[in-house]
Amino acid sequence: MGKESASVEISEPLLEESEGIGAVEMERIPEWKDQITIRGLSVSALLGTLFCIITHKLNLTVGIIPSLNVAAGLLGFFFVKSWTSFLSKLGFSVQPFTRQENTVIQTCVVACYGLAFSGGFGSYMIAMDERTYKLIGADYPGNRAEDVKNPGLLWMIGFMFVVSFLGLFSLVPLRKVMVMDYKLTYPSGTATAMLINSFHTNTGAELAGNQVRCLGKYLGISLFWSCFKWFFSGIGDSCGFDNFPTLGLALYKSTFYFDFSPTYVGCGLICPHIVNCSVLLGAIISWGFLWPFISQHAGNWYPADLESNDFRGLYGYKVFIAISLILGDGIYNLIKIIAITVKEICNKSTKQNNLPVTAEILADDESSKLLMEQSRKDEIFLKDRIPSWFAAAGYVGLAAISTATIPVIFPPLKWYLVLSSYILAPALAFCNSYGTGLTDWNLASTYGKIGLFIFASLVGTDGGVVAGLAACGVMMSIVSTAADLMQDFKTGYLTLSSAKSMFVSQLVGTAMGCIIAPLTFWLFWTAFDIGSPDGPYKAPYAVIFREMAILGIEGFSELPNHCLAMCCGFFVAALIINLMRDVIPKRISQYIPIPMAMAVPFYIGAYFAIDMFVGTVILYVWERINRKDAEDYSGAVASGLICGDGIWTIPSAILSIFRINPPICMYFGPSS
């Protein structure tokens, strides 16, 4: 899903100021146990809950999730600093807040909210539910009533616990190889380390304070605006600022309007310009040209009297063309990253292929100082060892528990299929972690989709849909958590944090996520009509993932006329566009769109593309007026906008649960 396409931007401005990483003072490093504090874990639980809500909201609306690593580091600093300042003013003696504690908080939060993504609450997990089954249609071939499993709090928490920890144990023995020997960049992890280091140096203290104030200001503005919007949103889904026909009623019918969402504008500020422009281009191609063109052939290419969500009509084109673009992009990048990984491992010169930040410092005359800092980082990173036998025993033990448990939760997925996935998983986890280190693209959902197709076809018509979706969950959890762990090891390495404290905080964060992610999802599930094509929470990937599973066992037999030909065309186009991005010189290829980002509006609509484009225009103008300011504060502004809107989701959901409706319905219609 969108997580992989939106994760690069935060790192770029911060990486340019790379000297901050080298300027780590020779402070006393706390023992690994002292890096994990009660206040740190409390803040992690609070932020983990907030970020889970944000991730669920994005998953259930547009499916594009920006990297929140830097926001986690920034908010962690904000909360602990506020708390320690408050206690100091009251006369209490407080433990100093170190960069290591800040890193542990960030690691814990990322591990927690990562499960809201890899747990499939907006994709494979609710693809099994009755609403998605009914949306596709009881008479649709391969869509059986027996292949339904509705969300339940207990089984979701149990499933999270049996699959989410394996990825953490799968690659622990390779942490030295990935971080120190191959010196993989992990751009988001490096950027987060850069930010945390700047917070805890005298030179960066003023900027850190300003960033925190900026974040608090825009968080307040976003929270107030979201609350204000609620009063006008009435009953139903056609009222309020979310349905403001800003570009006119004609374009509004084609979903082209600005819906005043702080979350999507914030995403536009965080995501690279090319991602935002790709999303808008996808919206223009689909809702501006393709869907109106296909609609003209209603009655010829497909029956004209079908409902709006019938797969034999226009809806089928929307879903399957989006799937073909997503698969084309995912498969190309998977093959590319595996090829790069194999080439880099085979090439001994990889060991001399230093990080950009290291290479810059090496050019200076202070080589002895650099070597001393480098050896200190190495020493601290290797000091608190995590024994390989412990990692291996943990993986085998958890795999055994999971192999016995998963068939109880999902009977069609037999124990030997679960076991075979755990035998293959470490190799896939390594490929994904290595690829993330090189490119910052976490391709967990691509590995999940491949697992979905393979297991759905292996099981066949009798339970293949549920088996494929469950196998997708197993695969996604392992490869995603493994990549997140290695990214956090990189952050820990650069902030002089103990590898053991990183691993323990990742375990604690994952345990939190196993409870918090299902609970926060349950808030959405009980408060809102999740999956309704006309509602605010369309859960677009639920339908896409269930259709993929049906496709795995049934083939293309029921698609409307010319749909398969169009799907093949868009699949090939995704491959060609990606190839062009890699072959053409960088100065030109940076303007070529990203197919996976283009695919999202094909199914959902164009409204969020307008919001994200507004965000990218604001950032572009800001960079032209004052690039330094934009680099320093755009992440804080974006985080504030996203978090403020995310916080409002909690009272909004509670009001909905108690059936308290907004008092006003603001509605727009033609004047005559």
Side-chain angles (χ1 to χ4, degrees), residues 63-97:
I64 290 181
I65 302 161
S67 173
L68 299 172
N69 294 42
V70 170
L74 179 58
L75 279 164
F77 179 81
F78 168 69
F79 276 107
V80 178
K81 269 294 180 186
S82 303
W83 176 245
T84 52
S85 299
F86 175 70
L87 288 180
S88 296
K89 285 175 182 175
L90 293 178
F92 289 97
S93 173
V94 291
Q95 182 183 338
F97 182 42

Side-chain angles (χ1 to χ4, degrees), residues 301-325:
W301 289 10
Y302 59 91
D305 57 346
L306 298 175
E307 292 183 18
S308 61
N309 58 354
D310 195 311
F311 278 84
R312 293 167 297 176
L314 182 62
Y315 196 63
Y317 293 96
K318 292 178 184 178
V319 171
F320 286 101
I321 290 174
I323 288 173
S324 61
L325 269 174

Side-chain angles (χ1 to χ4, degrees), residues 128 144 146-149 405-418 455-456 458-471:
M128 304 178 195
R144 308 185 315 151
E146 294 87 345
D147 293 327
V148 166
K149 188 170 183 66
T405 309
I406 290 177
V408 176
I409 303 172
F410 304 108
L413 191 61
K414 304 300 181 188
W415 68 268
Y416 49 86
L417 296 174
V418 180
F455 285 95
L458 281 174
V459 175
T461 52
D462 188 17
V465 170
V466 168
L469 292 168

Side-chain angles (χ1 to χ4, degrees), residues 221-373:
I221 291 170
S222 175
L223 181 59
F224 171 79
W225 173 246
S226 299
C227 177
F228 177 76
K229 279 202 310 178
W230 178 83
F231 283 93
F232 298 90
S233 57
I235 301 169
D237 303 308
S238 57
C239 306
F241 286 93
D242 292 347
N243 295 278
F244 198 108
T246 26
L247 304 175
L249 287 167
L251 282 173
Y252 174 79
K253 289 175 183 175
S254 296
T255 72
F256 282 94
Y257 57 92
F258 178 66
D259 80 342
F260 297 91
S261 167
T263 296
Y264 303 151
V265 174
C267 286
L269 281 165
I270 287 183
C271 292
H273 293 306
I274 190 61
V275 169
N276 298 314
C277 293
S278 299
V279 169
L280 184 63
L281 179 62
I284 293 168
I285 290 170
S286 55
W287 293 90
F289 297 101
L290 191 58
W291 305 154
F293 170 74
I294 293 173
S295 298
Q296 291 172 6
H297 294 83
N300 182 14
W301 289 10
Y302 59 91
D305 57 346
L306 298 175
E307 292 183 18
S308 61
N309 58 354
D310 195 311
F311 278 84
R312 293 167 297 176
L314 182 62
Y315 196 63
Y317 293 96
K318 292 178 184 178
V319 171
F320 286 101
I321 290 174
I323 288 173
S324 61
L325 269 174
I326 290 167
L327 285 178
D329 189 292
I331 288 170
Y332 178 89
N333 281 291
L334 181 65
I335 294 168
K336 169 187 156 186
I337 285 175
I338 289 173
I340 291 171
T341 301
V342 171
K343 183 183 173 185
E344 290 285 311
I345 291 169
C346 293
N347 185 0
K348 290 182 181 178
S349 67
T350 306
K351 293 186 179 181
Q352 280 77 49
N353 183 19
N354 288 329
L355 265 170
V357 292
T358 310
E360 275 184 36
I361 304 170
L362 276 170
D364 297 339
D365 296 329
E366 303 177 357
S367 55
S368 59
K369 184 183 175 185
L370 169 67
L371 287 170
M372 189 169 66
E373 288 176 354

Side-chain angles (χ1 to χ4, degrees), residues 564-587:
L564 182 58
M566 287 184 182
C567 287
C568 292
F570 278 95
F571 180 85
V572 172
L575 297 177
I576 292 170
I577 291 168
N578 273 302
L579 188 64
M580 287 168 62
R581 283 176 60 83
D582 287 336
V583 172
I584 293 173
K586 181 72 175 174
R587 66 180 187 278

Side-chain angles (χ1 to χ4, degrees), residues 548-624:
M548 284 184 190
I550 293 171
L551 207 60
I553 56 175
E554 288 289 326
F556 300 92
S557 56
E558 286 297 307
L559 297 184
N561 290 352
H562 308 295
C563 184
L564 182 58
M566 287 184 182
C567 287
C568 292
F570 278 95
F571 180 85
V572 172
L575 297 177
I576 292 170
I577 291 168
N578 273 302
L579 188 64
M580 287 168 62
R581 283 176 60 83
D582 287 336
V583 172
I584 293 173
K586 181 72 175 174
R587 66 180 187 278
I588 300 169
S589 67
Q590 64 181 329
Y591 300 110
I592 297 174
I594 298 168
M596 193 171 289
M598 289 173 64
V600 180
F602 270 66
Y603 175 73
I604 301 164
Y607 59 92
F608 80 96
I610 306 289
D611 289 35
M612 290 181 70
F613 189 71
V614 167
T616 215
V617 167
I618 291 169
L619 182 61
Y620 180 81
V621 172
W622 193 358
E623 285 171 340
R624 290 293 168 274

Side-chain angles (χ1 to χ4, degrees), residues 10 14 43-44 47 51 67-81 97-99 101-110 113 188-189 191-200 208 211-212 215 488 491 495 635-636 639 643:
I10 284 182
L14 294 165
V43 167
S44 299
L47 290 179
F51 281 24
S67 173
L68 299 172
N69 294 42
V70 170
L74 179 58
L75 279 164
F77 179 81
F78 168 69
F79 276 107
V80 178
K81 269 294 180 186
F97 182 42
T98 62
R99 74 184 75 222
E101 187 180 352
N102 204 160
T103 307
V104 163
I105 292 170
Q106 181 268 338
T107 300
C108 210
V109 173
V110 170
Y113 93 80
S188 288
T192 309
M194 168 72 214
L195 187 80
I196 290 171
N197 280 338
S198 72
F199 285 163
H200 297 272
Q211 285 175 324
V212 164
L215 185 142
D488 288 327
T491 305
T495 57
S639 300
C643 292

